[in-house]
Amino acid sequence: MSSSQSGVPEESSAAARMRASDADRDQVADRLREALAEGRITPEEHAERIDAVYNAKTYAELEPVLRDLPSAQAPRPRVELRKDAEVQAPPPDAQSPNLVAIFSGVERRGRWLVESTTNVTCVFGGADLDFRQAVLSRGEVTVNVTCVFGGLNIVVPPGVRVVASNTAIFSGNDLPEDDTTDPDAPVIRITGTLLFGGVSVKRRAVGEKGRNRDWHRERQRLHRAHRDDVRDERRELREERRERQRERRERRRRD
């Protein structure tokens, strides 16, 4: 039976068979994020539908994901993130926005809901944040970093703008250049303080491999080496000070 005989317009059928783009999938994922924040779907349903979205190849496979949600529209090529709109808090069983690595490592990757502020604390440790499959709770989110002899490695997908507003003391930020001029592009803002630490941001597509753990091991080795150098220098200064004090006491006895 042809599409005209079945009552389905040929143009609609042809459109449904068209290949969906990454922007189309991101648009649907954004609508699912809103539905999760509004309490329309559970975290389990959200995770299941997100998997379906990023496995979809055509518009026909994307359409059922939004079918039972209000104001569901067919995906369009452009992502429309609402930067100023407030979103309800995530459900109580969501992952904590606070990550701590003390003489250890911590990571957040895969499908995860990014709240308006994520706090990262690294003390002689390292943290990995992979935003490539994350769902942002709003158009601009903040990563507040406190690193002392520690390092934070961030991976973002193409089309996401990263802005650093943090304080770096004997530290540094390694950020990629913007790859988009879209004023509505999602923004990840880095704030906080680095002391003998570092933040490295890399831009990679989903599935592209990187150097996360090796980078952190090397970073921590350099931090430990620098810490040992500082400790040795302070020890030498203390010894010189004691020697001068002994010489002064000896002169007083002679006088």
mmCIF file of all heavy atoms in Angstrom, residues 16 20 61 135 140 153 186 227:
data_model
loop_
_atom_site.group_PDB
_atom_site.id
_atom_site.type_symbol
_atom_site.label_atom_id
_atom_site.label_comp_id
_atom_site.label_asym_id
_atom_site.label_seq_id
_atom_site.Cartn_x
_atom_site.Cartn_y
_atom_site.Cartn_z
ATOM 1 N N ALA A 16 9.549 12.480 7.502
ATOM 2 C CA ALA A 16 9.807 11.627 8.659
ATOM 3 C C ALA A 16 11.013 10.733 8.433
ATOM 4 O O ALA A 16 11.706 10.363 9.380
ATOM 5 C CB ALA A 16 8.575 10.790 8.971
ATOM 6 N N ALA A 20 18.025 12.939 11.023
ATOM 7 C CA ALA A 20 18.066 13.993 12.037
ATOM 8 C C ALA A 20 19.514 14.417 12.287
ATOM 9 O O ALA A 20 20.445 13.610 12.199
ATOM 10 C CB ALA A 20 17.438 13.506 13.337
ATOM 11 N N GLU A 61 11.945 8.670 14.343
ATOM 12 C CA GLU A 61 12.365 8.051 15.603
ATOM 13 C C GLU A 61 12.394 9.062 16.757
ATOM 14 O O GLU A 61 12.298 8.680 17.913
ATOM 15 C CB GLU A 61 13.755 7.431 15.431
ATOM 16 C CG GLU A 61 13.795 6.247 14.491
ATOM 17 C CD GLU A 61 15.213 5.770 14.234
ATOM 18 O OE1 GLU A 61 15.968 6.493 13.554
ATOM 19 O OE2 GLU A 61 15.561 4.677 14.723
ATOM 20 N N VAL A 135 22.809 17.143 30.521
ATOM 21 C CA VAL A 135 21.626 17.958 30.265
ATOM 22 C C VAL A 135 21.706 19.181 31.175
ATOM 23 O O VAL A 135 21.702 19.059 32.397
ATOM 24 C CB VAL A 135 20.330 17.170 30.545
ATOM 25 C CG1 VAL A 135 19.116 18.040 30.289
ATOM 26 C CG2 VAL A 135 20.281 15.909 29.703
ATOM 27 N N GLU A 140 22.895 28.936 30.955
ATOM 28 C CA GLU A 140 24.238 29.219 31.490
ATOM 29 C C GLU A 140 24.363 28.575 32.857
ATOM 30 O O GLU A 140 23.539 28.818 33.745
ATOM 31 C CB GLU A 140 24.492 30.721 31.610
ATOM 32 C CG GLU A 140 25.856 31.036 32.224
ATOM 33 C CD GLU A 140 26.202 32.515 32.200
ATOM 34 O OE1 GLU A 140 25.724 33.209 31.289
ATOM 35 O OE2 GLU A 140 26.955 32.965 33.083
ATOM 36 N N ASN A 153 39.655 18.725 34.890
ATOM 37 C CA ASN A 153 39.625 18.503 33.448
ATOM 38 C C ASN A 153 38.167 18.504 32.996
ATOM 39 O O ASN A 153 37.349 17.746 33.524
ATOM 40 C CB ASN A 153 40.293 17.172 33.101
ATOM 41 C CG ASN A 153 40.467 17.013 31.604
ATOM 42 O OD1 ASN A 153 40.813 17.940 30.904
ATOM 43 N ND2 ASN A 153 40.221 15.805 31.112
ATOM 44 N N PRO A 186 24.840 27.530 24.627
ATOM 45 C CA PRO A 186 24.992 27.242 26.057
ATOM 46 C C PRO A 186 26.340 27.758 26.562
ATOM 47 O O PRO A 186 27.335 27.752 25.844
ATOM 48 C CB PRO A 186 24.929 25.709 26.107
ATOM 49 C CG PRO A 186 24.243 25.302 24.852
ATOM 50 C CD PRO A 186 24.609 26.311 23.822
ATOM 51 N N ARG A 227 55.620 21.029 45.182
ATOM 52 C CA ARG A 227 55.436 21.069 46.636
ATOM 53 C C ARG A 227 56.719 20.673 47.352
ATOM 54 O O ARG A 227 57.110 21.317 48.339
ATOM 55 C CB ARG A 227 54.294 20.124 47.031
ATOM 56 C CG ARG A 227 54.043 20.015 48.525
ATOM 57 C CD ARG A 227 53.245 18.772 48.830
ATOM 58 N NE ARG A 227 53.944 17.583 48.341
ATOM 59 C CZ ARG A 227 53.405 16.380 48.301
ATOM 60 N NH1 ARG A 227 52.144 16.201 48.648
ATOM 61 N NH2 ARG A 227 54.104 15.352 47.866
#
